[in-house]
Amino acid sequence: GMEDLWQEFQYHVRECWEKLELIPGIPYEGQPDFSTTLLNQKLHVLNICIKQAQDRISTYSPQNDDQNTEIETTQRARKSELDKFLANRTDKMWIPHTQIHPPMTELDIETFESVIADAKSEQDRTFFQSSSLLSDMQSFKAANPNAILSDFVQWYCPNRWQQMMESFESQSDTIWQQLWELAQPIAACDQAPLLDVNIESRDVLQWIDRLHPRDVLRMLLSEFLGHSHRLLSACIASRIPIVASQLSLFSRNSSTVLEDTLQCDISASNSSFERIIRQLEEAEELTCRADSLLSKFPKNDQLCNDLLYRGSVEIVEAATHKTISDIFFRNVNAVTTRNDDMESREIILRLNGQYRMFCQITQSQCNLAIATVAT
């Protein structure tokens, strides 16, 4: 069953790419959210590729290079004006439209950081990022035709541009200087795209095809347990000590189950899965009961906690007596006629004058109370 479901999922994901249809429920802008599973991040990247491909098809129109004047290029390249002048003290500095940098998953970031860490010099590290840097330089040159390298560095690295320029002066032929000389004034919309949607989407689809069912289950289980814990923790009942303790226990055990899943077969983890699901059911039931009690005793957390912990408590405070009596007796003398659309109904049962059961039913809740008389 799980294998068939996963194969069907793979088929639909590939179909979305081939037909350039966005995957429902997955973002198609920005960078992937590292708080989500790696599968979700990969689908986010694929959706960005689909959206980019859609946009390129819808905006494509052959242009005549003879009509693409320098003035038109500058206008297309400019996004907004800065309250700064270029080094020539004559022209205002303009923020350029830049290309969207390729999206990176958590796995991509780790790989990239390891490559950067292995680089022997600052120049080597800059070289690995040169494609994005060159694109931004070309966009800046297109928006600011009279700019020099120091203008670009001031915009690109506003917090350390002076130190960088001093470094450039002491060194000759740095990668920044090389790229600046290489960069042409080309607006972002006219540049070759930084994101190759075909290569990136192929990598994502191949990664999904290679996923082991155990890894899929672990990611789905992680998302399910994490989302369940966040929902329950967001309830007002989570402030009750016994509920908070149960949610903390559920969180710790969830982490243990996920770690076990990494180290053993799914079949060996069935008992752990069943146990954590039962704990989730218990946590959900306890949270719902606590929410119900807090709706009746909103300012008495200790009473709610004691009722959940012991099942019954002795009431000694007059204010609490009043609160309880108001719940069951506020409309005890009201006369009600039968009406299928009534908002509430009260039922009182008596037995030999010694026992009384009160039942108040509304659309959202049912309140029961039994009153006994000792003889």
Side-chain angles (χ1 to χ4, degrees):
M2 178 64 186
E3 185 176 355
D4 293 340
L5 178 62
W6 179 240
Q7 289 178 352
E8 187 72 13
F9 174 80
Q10 290 174 317
Y11 169 77
H12 282 292
V13 169
R14 188 172 292 276
E15 187 178 42
C16 284
W17 164 246
E18 292 172 350
K19 295 183 177 180
L20 294 184
E21 297 176 353
L22 291 173
I23 304 171
I26 302 295
Y28 54 83
E29 295 178 331
Q31 289 291 328
D33 184 359
F34 293 169
S35 66
T36 62
T37 64
L38 187 56
L39 175 60
N40 188 280
Q41 296 173 43
K42 290 287 187 180
L43 294 176
H44 189 164
V45 171
L46 183 59
N47 241 16
I48 291 175
C49 293
I50 294 173
K51 180 62 176 175
Q52 290 285 309
Q54 289 177 342
D55 292 344
R56 290 172 191 175
I57 291 175
S58 61
T59 59
Y60 173 76
S61 59
Q63 296 183 0
N64 187 341
D65 291 339
D66 294 336
Q67 297 177 350
N68 189 17
T69 66
E70 182 179 344
I71 295 177
E72 291 174 341
T73 299
T74 302
Q75 291 175 341
R76 289 201 311 275
R78 288 176 172 175
K79 183 178 181 181
S80 59
E81 189 180 49
L82 278 174
D83 190 19
K84 292 181 181 178
F85 283 93
L86 298 178
N88 61 19
R89 298 296 179 185
T90 302
D91 300 328
K92 279 293 191 75
M93 183 182 292
W94 286 81
I95 298 176
H97 287 287
T98 57
Q99 289 201 62
I100 298 175
H101 290 190
M104 301 183 75
T105 66
E106 192 172 10
L107 186 60
D108 297 330
I109 291 290
E110 291 176 358
T111 304
F112 182 74
E113 287 179 346
S114 66
V115 172
I116 295 296
D118 293 338
K120 297 180 179 180
S121 66
E122 178 70 24
Q123 184 159 331
D124 290 339
R125 284 191 285 273
T126 305
F127 175 77
F128 289 119
Q129 306 173 68
S130 59
S131 59
S132 297
L133 182 59
L134 177 61
S135 172
D136 291 340
M137 283 182 173
Q138 295 190 137
S139 300
F140 188 83
K141 274 190 172 182
N144 302 277
N146 297 320
I148 59 177
L149 178 58
S150 62
D151 295 321
F152 172 77
V153 176
Q154 186 178 2
W155 167 72
Y156 200 74
C157 307
N159 295 328
R160 56 189 184 98
W161 73 276
Q162 291 178 330
Q163 295 92 324
M164 292 181 65
M165 290 309 301
E166 291 174 0
S167 174
F168 295 161
E169 291 174 0
S170 63
Q171 304 177 38
S172 61
D173 202 29
T174 65
I175 188 67
W176 284 70
Q177 293 165 327
Q178 294 174 20
L179 290 175
W180 182 257
E181 293 298 325
L182 183 63
Q184 300 298 315
I186 305 175
C189 58
D190 297 329
Q191 297 177 22
L194 289 174
L195 174 63
D196 190 322
V197 295
N198 292 310
I199 293 178
E200 197 69 36
S201 59
R202 182 198 64 195
D203 292 344
V204 171
L205 292 172
Q206 287 179 351
W207 181 86
I208 292 176
D209 289 340
R210 291 194 302 265
L211 268 183
H212 192 280
R214 181 184 66 187
D215 299 324
V216 177
L217 181 57
R218 180 184 177 276
M219 284 188 286
L220 294 179
L221 182 64
S222 174
E223 188 74 12
F224 167 69
L225 295 179
H227 185 64
S228 300
H229 185 267
R230 288 192 295 272
L231 282 178
L232 294 177
S233 297
C235 296
I236 191 174
S238 61
R239 76 188 194 205
I240 303 299
I242 189 173
V243 177
S245 176
Q246 183 73 16
L247 291 177
S248 178
L249 176 64
F250 169 69
S251 178
R252 291 195 303 271
N253 290 341
S254 297
S255 300
T256 302
V257 169
L258 293 176
E259 289 299 324
D260 291 344
T261 308
L262 282 177
Q263 301 171 6
C264 61
D265 295 333
I266 292 297
S267 57
S269 302
N270 285 341
S271 60
S272 298
F273 293 153
E274 293 174 358
R275 184 172 65 255
I276 198 62
I277 293 302
R278 285 198 300 271
Q279 289 184 358
L280 175 58
E281 292 174 348
E282 293 170 359
E284 183 180 12
E285 179 185 356
L286 188 64
T287 303
C288 292
R289 290 170 59 197
D291 265 338
S292 177
L293 287 172
L294 282 173
S295 69
K296 301 171 179 64
F297 310 107
K299 298 180 180 179
N300 202 329
D301 290 8
Q302 187 58 48
L303 174 62
C304 296
N305 187 72
D306 292 343
L307 282 170
L308 291 169
Y309 185 73
R310 298 201 297 265
S312 62
V313 294
E314 182 180 356
I315 305 300
V316 295
E317 297 177 358
T320 307
H321 272 289
K322 175 93 169 46
T323 302
I324 295 174
S325 63
D326 286 346
I327 292 174
F328 297 107
F329 302 118
R330 63 170 64 97
N331 295 318
V332 71
N333 295 320
V335 178
T336 322
T337 59
R338 180 172 179 80
N339 186 344
D340 292 337
D341 297 327
M342 66 176 62
E343 294 184 358
S344 66
R345 177 179 299 171
E346 286 193 349
I347 302 172
I348 302 176
L349 302 177
R350 295 183 177 85
L351 179 62
N352 298 331
Q354 294 183 345
Y355 302 93
R356 285 195 295 177
M357 174 182 287
F358 300 88
C359 178
Q360 185 181 61
I361 304 172
T362 67
Q363 291 181 348
S364 60
Q365 63 181 344
C366 174
N367 298 319
L368 290 172
I370 297 178
T372 63
V373 178
T375 56

